[in-house]
Structures are given as C-alpha cells and as structure tokens.
Amino acid sequence: MKYEPPIPPYPLKDMSRNEAHHFFEWFLTQIPNRCEQLLQIVNSSKGFSTWKNDFSRDSLNPLGNWFSENVKIREITQTEIDEVYNSSPDWFHQVELEDWTLTNRTYSYAFDLGIYFGEALKYSIGDIDWILKTNSPSSVDYHLPILHHVGQLDCCPFHLMKIYAFGIARGSKGSEHLPVLFDIWYTNLTGQYQTST
C-alpha cells in the first residue's frame, strides 16, 4: 500500500467558522484511514514490520523511534521568510528565522501521528473525545480538533507532533519523548498519573 498524504479540504490556518466545521466533519471520517496509512508506512520501514497500531502506550516507544528516523527538513525560501514577516507584528521582524523547515512529507507524518496520539489518549482515558475548538480565537488551537476534558487543559495533538518534529530536527528531542508526552497529557487531561499501559 502506497502512503497517501492527508489532503484537508482547507488550509488549517485562518479557516472561517463554516470551513472549520466542514474540516472537523472531514477529520472525523478520516481517523480510521489515517491510522491505517500510518500503520502501513511504519510497517514498510526497515525494523518496524511488527509494529501494531493498538493505541497502547507501549506502541508509542517504537513509533517514536520510527518518527525520529523519518523527520526530514528542507531549506526555507526567501518568499516563505517574507510571508512570515509580512504577517507578523513589527517587533517580530527583529527575530532571525531558521533557514530550514520541515518537509511536506514530515508535516503529513506529524498530522497522522497527531491522530494516532489522540486516539491512544482516548483509548487509555475512555471518556474523552475529539471536539472542535471554537472559543479563544487568539489560541493557536482555534478551529482545530482537540481533546477536551472538563476542568482540565485542552490537548491539540497536531501541534504537539509538529513541535515534536521540530525538536527532533534540532536534536533537542529524541524517540523517547513520545511516551513522555503521552504521560504528561494523560495527567493534564485526567488529573491523574498514568500507572499502566
């Protein structure tokens, strides 16, 4: 099976209210397919043919190893740099941007990893589900699928996995960070410590 990157109906940035709701409906229908795509691409990689997408915490150890081996970067273009500065406040123009970014394939892997990570949290916690973040327009998670538990922090797995990928690329995060993230967010969402897999 050839890996097919996810193709959201809209860019994930600056979606209108209607676009965000349409995207969320699309997202919910894509969860099984994206988990299957992740399984196939991981199993087709050398050393990972026995990985199972059973949503257990234990499955995150080898998945973190696989992701660490498959995060790739590319040179950022001047046009992309200009777009960042043009859409930023004046004070940000003094910030020197890195001369690289993640490849599109890496972003696709991070999207799928975010879905799997979220489903693993759902599997372990039981009484949470995906919702669309519709409050806090200034939030980086606004109009994106999140996991929400009453009285606890909101979790946006997509942003977590993107940040994780940048950490891998910079050499500041390793494969072991994925189960650590899981434990942190299990606690954040439940107020309890993860004690079993």
Side-chain angles (χ1 to χ4, degrees):
M1 177 180 176
K2 182 181 178 182
Y3 177 77
E4 297 179 2
I7 305 177
Y10 306 103
L12 302 190
K13 185 178 179 182
D14 299 326
M15 287 185 287
S16 69
R17 182 182 180 86
N18 286 340
E19 289 172 342
H21 281 281
H22 184 206
F23 167 79
F24 186 64
E25 292 172 2
W26 170 86
F27 166 78
L28 292 177
T29 67
Q30 291 298 304
I31 290 174
N33 177 49
R34 297 322 311 170
C35 289
E36 180 64 21
Q37 289 284 334
L38 183 64
L39 174 66
Q40 295 298 327
I41 192 64
V42 173
N43 284 168
S44 68
S45 303
K46 184 177 180 181
F48 298 94
S49 61
T50 61
W51 181 73
K52 292 181 174 62
N53 60 346
D54 60 8
F55 305 113
S56 67
R57 184 190 182 281
D58 285 344
S59 71
L60 300 176
N61 292 288
L63 187 57
N65 288 329
W66 176 84
F67 194 49
S68 295
E69 293 179 9
N70 286 276
V71 166
K72 307 295 181 189
I73 63 173
R74 64 169 176 82
E75 185 176 341
I76 195 169
T77 67
Q78 186 59 49
T79 299
E80 290 172 316
I81 293 173
D82 293 341
E83 287 176 355
V84 171
Y85 285 138
N86 291 338
S87 63
S88 303
D90 289 342
W91 65 264
F92 188 78
H93 295 199
Q94 300 174 20
V95 176
E96 185 175 350
L97 298 178
E98 292 173 301
D99 59 1
W100 58 269
T101 189
L102 303 174
T103 64
N104 288 340
R105 177 57 65 94
T106 299
Y107 277 117
S108 293
Y109 289 161
F111 183 90
D112 290 343
L113 219 71
I115 290 179
Y116 185 83
F117 186 84
E119 289 294 294
L121 284 168
K122 282 179 56 185
Y123 179 84
S124 289
I125 296 171
D127 61 344
I128 62 169
D129 207 346
W130 297 99
I131 65 168
L132 181 66
K133 176 101 173 171
T134 55
N135 61 349
S136 304
S138 61
S139 170
V140 69
D141 304 334
Y142 184 61
H143 279 168
L144 290 178
I146 61 168
L147 293 172
H148 174 78
H149 206 266
V150 177
Q152 305 296 336
L153 295 173
D154 293 337
C155 176
C156 184
F158 304 116
H159 285 143
L160 290 179
M161 294 305 109
K162 184 171 74 171
I163 293 168
Y164 179 33
F166 272 98
I168 291 170
R170 294 187 181 106
S172 62
K173 303 293 182 187
S175 59
E176 74 286 347
H177 191 63
L178 192 57
V180 170
L181 268 178
F182 179 88
D183 291 342
I184 290 170
W185 279 98
Y186 181 94
T187 300
N188 286 342
L189 288 165
T190 66
Q192 303 172 356
Y193 291 103
Q194 170 74 351
T195 56
S196 64
T197 56

